[in-house]
Amino acid sequence: MQVTPQAIPDVLLIEPKVFGDARGFFFESFNQRAFNEATGTSHQFVQDNHSRSCQGVLRGLHYQVQQPQGKLVRVVSGAVFDVAVDIRKSSPTFGRWVGVELSADNHRQLWVPPGFAHGFVVRSETADFLYKTTDYYAPEHERCIVWNDEVLGIEWGLSGEPALSEKDKKGCRFVDALSS
């Protein structure tokens, strides 16, 4: 696997070795030992999640104020633009974001460490999005930063308004995020 640090070095783009021929392809989508060695981390994953969304759906920017979750994310059908926002107050990259295209075709994965808000927008007709988490979902600790926060200035590549859940419509501004 090839691991590439992003503009925020703790966020890692992971590209597995894909073996393909006329019949299709094979790749090892996760191996705990290989992941730890390649990323230099020792995180253990406790939960796997799967979401399916239609084109134009934007989910996020989600985080947990307690039990922060690291996420290893990938797309198995379709394509998304995936975003991680550094919300670690003591970090030199606090308030910065990175975004990458993840798709079934490119097989890329993104490691989003604990201490980041996370979201994605679907670019294909539909997308199946899978992610492993380092802690359990805790709805009482979940928070959301509004997707179009002016301070963050995320360039989602949208041509119109995204489809949002009621929870995501009520997201807070970045400047208020960590006090909520």
Side-chain angles (χ1 to χ4, degrees), residues 39-61:
T39 63
T41 67
S42 60
H43 294 285
Q44 298 293 311
F45 295 95
V46 299
Q47 185 174 319
D48 282 1
N49 300 315
H50 183 154
S51 73
R52 175 174 291 152
S53 304
C54 299
Q55 187 171 33
V57 167
L58 192 150
R59 296 184 184 268
L61 298 158

Side-chain angles (χ1 to χ4, degrees), residues 7 9 16 36 66-67 73 82 89 104 127-129 138 149 158 165 179:
N36 289 354
Q66 293 180 34
Q67 295 175 231
V73 302
D82 196 77
K89 288 182 178 178
D128 282 293
F129 188 87
D149 183 89
L158 293 166
S165 69
S179 61

Side-chain angles (χ1 to χ4, degrees), residues 126-145:
T126 62
D128 282 293
F129 188 87
L130 303 179
Y131 57 107
K132 304 176 99 41
T133 65
T134 60
D135 209 334
Y136 298 101
Y137 174 62
E140 68 276 17
H141 301 305
E142 184 181 38
R143 302 292 187 273
C144 179
I145 298 169

